[in-house]
Amino acid sequence: MSQFSRRKFMFASGITAAASVLTNACSKSSKDATTATTTTTTTATTVAAGDAPEVTTARIGFIPLTDSAPLIIAKEKGLFEKYGMKDVEILKQTSWPVTRDNLETGSAGGGIDGAHILSPMPYFMTMGMTKTKQPVPMYILARLNTNGQAISIANTYKDAKIQLKGAGFKDALAKAKSSSGKADLKAAITFPGGTHDLWMRYWLSANGVDPNKDISLVPVPPPQMVSNMKTASMEAFCVGEPWNARLVNQKLGYTAFVTGELWKDHPEKAFAMRSDWVDKNPKATKALLMAVQEAQQWCDKPENKEEMAKIISGPKWFDVPVTDILGRIQGKIDYGDGRTEDNYPNSMKFWADNSSYPYQSHDLWFLTENMRWGNIPTDFVKANEMIKKVNREDLWKAAATALKVDAAQIPTSTSRGVETFFDGVKFDPAKPEDYLKSLKIKKA
């Protein structure tokens, strides 16, 4: 495989040590989370003799974010077992750098085989952005969800009415610097070059704020976002749920916008595995994918959302109140500044509208944005070569076919087509160079 030069990676390896211990930022709720009961569905194994998986165990990591729900539901509802994977472990990780490091270690060394992961990370690992600076080839097997993230702002900016079209944010930041005496203001993202970093950078840039000059973006593990806002360490953060809702429920800040407003039905997390594990265990991989796809379909049914919220909110998984999760997955959004939505159409999706399908065109956007910010070399030939190796949409299709998914729900193209952002900018995956050239604020 052609490898990107690793000299241009600007990510700080010190993040791993700083984030290796999770500080529980969640104050315990009055039995809201702890009394939620988890129901396990016993399902008959539906594996033909010739399709029996090579192994029955796999160690899969997750971060406490609502978009990890399909993995948790597949475990709790017995879906892994249904397809012959009776010993799957779903293991909580404390941060994205820890997830990366445990993937590099692999289960043989006490780490993990796969994970709920930020979609660009499998590419970074394949390119050698690892703890040891050695490539760890990865496969993206599915997209776990679309939508469902948000950018939240400190209450001190409410009067400035900073929302999706936050043209006044640059002036508000300058005013905050002047009044506080701080030379540097910070906004939190979860991992450099990851989805939350890219949403934050896109939004800031579209509103005239240079993320490399006007504000500092710092990585913070998702469960620590709210506590950082509480201590006034951050002006804003971008993260998945339930942490934006939790901020609002604790009246510590407000949601400027949810990311479905920035880019309708945008891709988010991925289900990825080490490529050596997949290559060695193709039948087990197919079984895992079938279980995850079935769980995604279950999670998307309106009648299941309350049960899903109760399951994932429990101490074993997120340890947060059910109310921090339920509203936003039902499309009910309290922004915390007087705005509310009762039926928001672009809330988190797990299966609907091809949410699970790993479009190669979306991976190209993630890589293009990382070129934009100088995280990887600007080389579209190598980017496309790598996408064809990392993105295993062929395995997704094979699992969906075995699951008897209706043919109409299996995309026939690797591209979802031209994508349009809130500011009118368009990304044509057939012409990524033109998109990159059109962007005014960038490093590339």
Side-chain angles (χ1 to χ4, degrees):
M1 178 188 301
S2 298
Q3 300 295 335
F4 277 61
S5 168
R6 295 193 294 274
R7 292 178 297 173
K8 295 190 178 182
F9 283 105
M10 304 301 293
F11 302 104
S13 60
I15 297 170
T16 302
S20 62
V21 178
L22 174 64
T23 300
N24 184 359
C26 312
S27 58
K28 295 295 187 290
S29 176
S30 58
K31 298 184 180 180
D32 200 350
T34 56
T35 58
T37 57
T38 298
T39 57
T40 301
T41 301
T42 302
T43 55
T45 301
T46 57
V47 181
D51 292 330
E54 299 85 357
V55 294
T56 61
T57 186
R59 291 167 59 88
I60 301 172
F62 80 100
I63 295 282
L65 291 162
T66 304
D67 42 39
S68 68
L71 297 178
I72 296 170
I73 293 302
K75 176 67 176 178
E76 292 285 357
K77 291 292 182 180
L79 299 178
F80 290 125
E81 186 173 1
K82 176 180 178 180
Y83 296 107
M85 297 296 292
K86 64 184 182 66
D87 302 310
V88 172
E89 297 177 84
I90 306 299
L91 304 168
K92 188 182 294 185
Q93 310 294 295
T94 56
S95 69
W96 294 119
V98 169
T99 299
R100 173 200 61 195
D101 295 348
N102 282 332
L103 280 167
E104 182 176 16
T105 300
S107 61
I112 55 180
D113 304 302
H116 153 251
I117 201 167
L118 298 168
S119 285
M121 286 181 68
Y123 288 96
F124 297 156
M125 295 185 67
T126 299
M127 288 186 267
M129 190 277 172
T130 60
K131 189 174 183 179
T132 64
K133 308 304 180 187
Q134 297 302 310
V136 177
M138 297 288 297
Y139 289 153
I140 289 176
L141 303 180
R143 204 76 66 194
L144 284 176
N145 69 297
T146 57
N147 303 323
Q149 322 300 297
I151 287 182
S152 292
I153 311 286
N155 280 329
T156 52
Y157 293 93
K158 271 187 179 179
D159 290 343
K161 299 185 184 300
I162 305 302
Q163 298 176 12
L164 177 64
K165 295 184 178 180
F169 196 35
K170 186 170 184 176
D171 290 340
L173 287 171
K175 184 177 179 180
K177 285 183 181 180
S178 176
S179 61
S180 67
K182 295 180 180 178
D184 186 32
L185 299 179
K186 297 179 175 63
I189 47 89
T190 63
F191 188 84
T195 55
H196 304 114
D197 186 26
L198 301 182
W199 308 142
M200 178 68 81
R201 287 175 178 274
Y202 192 97
W203 173 68
L204 290 172
S205 300
N207 286 295
V209 179
D210 190 328
N212 292 318
K213 297 178 181 178
D214 300 323
I215 194 168
S216 294
L217 303 188
V218 296
V220 173
Q224 295 181 24
M225 291 287 187
V226 176
S227 62
N228 271 272
M229 196 76 90
K230 186 176 182 178
T231 59
S233 301
M234 303 291 164
E235 312 303 304
F237 62 63
C238 183
V239 72
E241 298 301 343
W243 307 110
N244 300 284
R246 187 162 181 77
L247 182 84
V248 170
N249 291 342
Q250 293 188 7
K251 302 187 186 304
L252 296 172
Y254 73 98
T255 293
F257 65 94
V258 293
T259 48
E261 299 170 46
L262 183 146
W263 176 9
K264 182 181 183 294
D265 290 342
H266 68 78
E268 242 303 320
K269 304 300 186 302
F271 171 41
M273 301 282 290
R274 288 175 55 112
S275 62
D276 56 359
W277 194 95
V278 172
D279 292 341
K280 185 179 179 180
N281 304 295
K283 294 179 182 178
T285 299
K286 185 176 181 180
L288 290 176
L289 259 174
M290 291 173 71
V292 169
Q293 289 175 348
E294 186 170 335
Q296 289 181 287
Q297 294 175 50
W298 186 93
C299 288
D300 245 7
K301 294 179 179 178
E303 63 269 25
N304 293 334
K305 292 190 183 295
E306 185 171 355
E307 183 183 355
M308 185 193 84
K310 287 180 179 179
I311 290 172
I312 67 176
S313 71
K316 180 180 178 182
W317 302 113
F318 292 12
D319 198 16
V320 301
V322 175
T323 51
D324 286 349
I325 300 173
L326 184 57
R328 294 198 178 195
I329 63 170
Q330 292 177 324
K332 300 174 183 177
I333 304 171
D334 177 357
Y335 288 83
D337 61 356
R339 293 174 295 147
T340 59
E341 284 275 1
D342 292 328
N343 191 25
Y344 180 63
N346 296 316
S347 55
M348 188 175 293
K349 299 175 184 178
F350 299 100
W351 184 262
D353 301 320
N354 298 328
S355 298
S356 174
Y357 189 72
Y359 283 103
Q360 291 186 17
S361 60
H362 290 161
D363 287 355
L364 181 58
W365 183 84
F366 287 128
L367 292 179
T368 301
E369 281 290 308
N370 272 286
M371 293 176 195
R372 173 186 186 180
W373 300 113
N375 296 327
I376 62 176
T378 303
D379 190 330
F380 287 103
V381 172
K382 288 185 178 179
N384 280 298
E385 287 176 356
M386 187 164 53
I387 287 170
K388 291 176 182 178
K389 294 181 179 181
V390 174
N391 184 305
R392 296 303 305 270
E393 60 171 20
D394 58 320
L395 299 182
W396 188 98
K397 288 182 177 180
T401 300
L403 200 61
K404 294 182 171 53
V405 169
D406 190 288
Q409 295 183 43
I410 301 178
T412 57
S413 173
T414 62
S415 173
R416 199 172 70 173
V418 176
E419 306 284 353
T420 304
F421 296 82
F422 82 100
D423 56 349
V425 171
K426 296 181 183 296
F427 173 72
D428 184 347
K431 302 175 182 178
E433 299 93 340
D434 292 349
Y435 167 81
L436 186 57
K437 289 177 183 176
S438 74
L439 302 169
K440 294 179 181 179
I441 298 178
K442 57 191 173 186
K443 290 187 70 175

